[in-house]
């Protein structure tokens, strides 16, 4: 009898094992699905965290930009100096205690650190480098509204600061790629008429490429490796008598104008420049007191920048014209005449 029940007993155990295996397989698939969903959810959360960090960086940059603009409008110091100053004070000062003698020591330490910082401030922004900027219209985000008209100079684009190439800035100036401005000056064809010149800073590889293009000769740009080189070629092309004028290429382009230089200095990437020294700018609050030192007055008196000042200083012959190459058929006729 015992042997007759063995097949049924073995088959029962097999069915039980099969049912348990099916149950464990279902649990395994369920756990596998949960792990897969968790992995995808974790990846989505990581992407969201990375996006939030980028947004925080952008908001911080916008905050620093708006703070700098606000302080410049109020004529105060750069807000980044105050931020770093408060951070150094918080790190250097010990935590206050409840004893009666410690608060006096803390006050003395703050005064000493503040005295050292006030002494070291002029090293970064010297009084000789302070320049006055003019008020320009801004949009709701605190960005300048283009074009920016500053007398004969009109700026259409500030370009982008190149921080990874040393030739795109000096100690005093920044050459942003894509910068574009225009200026009214004497024409290349007739020095007694005005012409509109477009000044551009382009990406020339290792060195920047500077161009001055006249609206009368758009196909013949004046190219140079520096603004002074372009300005010198322009003066020589208008008239040989203008070679004695001091070359002021940065002023002609407008990148040394206090208002424009302040905007370029506030652009992203200027902190990474190795040789550039930041300049202290102040907002022009009183137009009467600052009128004598404004760039507009320099344009009225400098013959290399202003059309009226050029003709007040130099007597250019009325019949002077730019020499043009004769046509090919005239050259052939002249050669036939000589033969």
């Amino acid at each position: 009898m015992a042997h007759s029940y063995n097949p049924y007993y073995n088959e029962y155990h097999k069915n039980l094992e099969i049912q348990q295996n099916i149950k464990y397989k279902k649990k395994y698939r369920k756990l596998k699905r949960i792990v897969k969903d968790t992995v995808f959810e974790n990846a989505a959360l990581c992407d969201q965290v990375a996006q939030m960090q980028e947004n925080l960086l952008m908001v911080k940059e916008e905050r620093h930009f708006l703070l700098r603009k606000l302080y410049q409008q109020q004529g105060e110091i750069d807000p980044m100096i105050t931020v770093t100053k408060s951070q150094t004070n918080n790190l250097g000062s010990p935590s206050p205690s409840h004893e009666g003698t410690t608060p006096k020591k803390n006050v003395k330490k703050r005064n000493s650190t503040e005295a050292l910082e006030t002494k070291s401030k002029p090293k970064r922004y010297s009084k000789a480098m302070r320049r006055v900027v003019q008020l320009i219209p801004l949009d709701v985000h605190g960005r300048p509204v283009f074009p920016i008209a500053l007398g004969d100079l009109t700026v259409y684009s500030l370009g982008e600061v190149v921080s990874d190439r040393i030739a795109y800035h000096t100690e005093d100036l920044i050459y942003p790629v894509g910068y574009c401005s225009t200026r009214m000056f004497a024409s290349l064809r007739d020095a007694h008429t005005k012409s509109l010149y477009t000044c551009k800073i382009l990406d020339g590889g290792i060195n920047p490429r500077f161009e001055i293009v006249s609206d009368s000769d758009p196909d013949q740009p004046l190219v140079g490796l520096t603004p002074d080189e372009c300005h010198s070629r322009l003066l020589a092309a208008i008239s040989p008598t203008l070679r004695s004028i001091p070359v002021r290429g940065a002023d002609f382009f407008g990148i040394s104008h206090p208002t424009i230089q302040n905007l370029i200095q506030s652009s992203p990437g200027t902190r990474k420049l190795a040789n550039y020294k930041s300049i202290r700018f102040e907002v022009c609050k009183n137009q009467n007191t600052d009128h004598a030192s404004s760039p507009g007055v320099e344009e009225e008196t400098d013959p290399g920048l202003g059309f009226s000042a050029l003709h007040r200083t130099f007597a250019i012959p009325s019949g002077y014209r730019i020499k043009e190459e004769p046509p090919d058929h005239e050259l052939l006729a002249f050669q036939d005449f000589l033969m």
Side-chain angles (χ1 to χ4, degrees):
M1 292 292 293
H3 293 285
S4 61
Y5 286 106
N6 285 334
Y8 297 102
Y9 182 77
N10 294 333
E11 186 177 357
Y12 171 75
H13 278 283
K14 288 181 181 179
N15 293 333
L16 184 61
E17 289 178 358
I18 292 173
Q19 291 178 1
Q20 288 180 352
N21 291 334
I22 294 173
K23 182 178 179 181
Y24 289 137
K25 284 183 180 180
K26 290 181 179 179
K27 288 184 178 181
Y28 169 75
R29 291 173 182 172
K30 185 177 180 181
L31 289 175
K32 187 177 180 180
R33 191 182 302 111
I34 293 174
V35 171
K36 187 177 181 180
D37 295 340
T38 305
V39 169
F40 283 116
E41 185 177 359
N42 186 26
L45 289 175
C46 291
D47 294 339
Q48 189 175 2
V49 169
Q51 185 66 30
M52 292 299 296
Q53 289 177 350
E54 292 180 0
N55 294 336
L56 285 175
L57 291 176
M58 294 176 61
V59 170
K60 286 182 180 179
E61 290 182 358
E62 291 181 358
R63 175 177 173 270
H64 292 322
F65 177 80
L66 294 176
L67 278 176
R68 185 180 289 108
K69 291 300 178 184
L70 178 61
Y71 277 78
Q72 288 172 359
Q73 293 291 337
Q74 295 176 354
E76 298 180 5
I77 61 175
D78 195 339
M80 296 307 299
I81 299 178
T82 58
V83 172
T84 54
K85 176 181 173 182
S86 61
Q87 290 178 354
T88 52
N89 287 336
N90 293 333
L91 293 174
S93 60
S95 60
S97 60
H98 297 284
E99 296 180 3
T101 57
T102 50
K104 294 182 180 180
K105 294 181 180 179
N106 292 334
V107 173
K108 290 181 180 179
K109 288 183 178 180
R110 289 195 190 100
N111 292 334
S112 61
T113 54
E114 288 178 358
L116 292 174
E117 287 170 354
T118 53
K119 290 180 181 179
S120 61
K121 276 182 184 178
K123 293 182 180 179
R124 184 174 180 181
Y125 294 100
S126 61
K127 293 182 179 179
M129 296 178 65
R130 293 181 181 178
R131 305 178 68 185
V132 179
V133 300
Q134 301 178 16
L135 295 176
I136 59 174
L138 304 175
D139 59 10
V140 293
H141 300 289
R143 300 184 179 90
V145 179
F146 293 98
I148 303 173
L150 300 169
D152 291 339
L153 175 68
T154 304
V155 178
Y156 292 89
S157 175
L158 296 177
E160 296 181 358
V161 177
V162 179
S163 58
D164 57 346
R165 280 171 279 183
I166 198 70
Y168 284 76
H169 71 277
T170 62
E171 292 185 357
D172 304 324
L173 295 173
I174 301 174
Y175 305 138
V177 173
Y179 175 85
C180 180
S181 65
T182 58
R183 181 183 289 275
M184 297 298 297
F185 200 60
S187 175
L188 290 173
R189 298 185 178 274
D190 186 0
H192 290 80
T193 60
K194 290 184 178 181
S195 179
L196 184 66
Y197 291 91
T198 302
C199 305
K200 297 180 181 179
I201 302 178
L202 306 175
D203 191 345
I206 299 176
N207 298 313
R209 174 187 173 95
F210 299 88
E211 287 187 1
I212 298 179
V213 184
S214 174
D215 59 350
S216 59
D217 291 324
D219 297 332
Q220 296 180 356
L222 301 173
V223 183
L225 296 178
T226 62
D228 291 341
E229 185 178 352
C230 290
H231 192 212
S232 176
R233 291 183 178 180
L234 173 63
L235 296 176
I238 294 175
S239 174
T241 59
L242 305 183
R243 295 179 182 272
S244 60
I245 296 179
V247 178
R248 299 179 60 179
D251 296 331
F252 193 88
F253 273 73
I255 54 178
S256 62
H257 193 288
T259 303
I260 302 303
Q261 190 172 5
N262 179 34
L263 295 174
I264 296 175
Q265 182 176 291
S266 303
S267 301
T270 54
R271 296 182 186 177
K272 299 179 182 179
L273 301 179
N275 298 329
Y276 181 73
K277 295 181 180 179
S278 299
I279 301 175
R280 168 76 177 274
F281 293 98
E282 295 180 356
V283 179
C284 180
K285 295 182 179 180
N286 192 348
Q287 298 290 341
N288 297 326
T289 58
D290 298 328
H291 180 70
S293 60
S294 62
V297 176
E298 295 181 2
E299 293 178 359
E300 296 175 359
T301 58
D302 193 332
L305 301 178
F307 178 80
S308 301
L310 175 65
H311 288 278
R312 284 197 304 266
T313 308
F314 291 88
I316 304 176
S318 59
Y320 180 79
R321 295 290 187 275
I322 299 297
K323 293 183 178 179
E324 298 180 355
E325 294 292 335
D328 295 337
H329 65 275
E330 293 184 3
L331 289 175
L332 294 175
F334 182 71
Q335 291 177 359
D336 295 338
F337 175 77
L338 292 176
M339 295 175 63

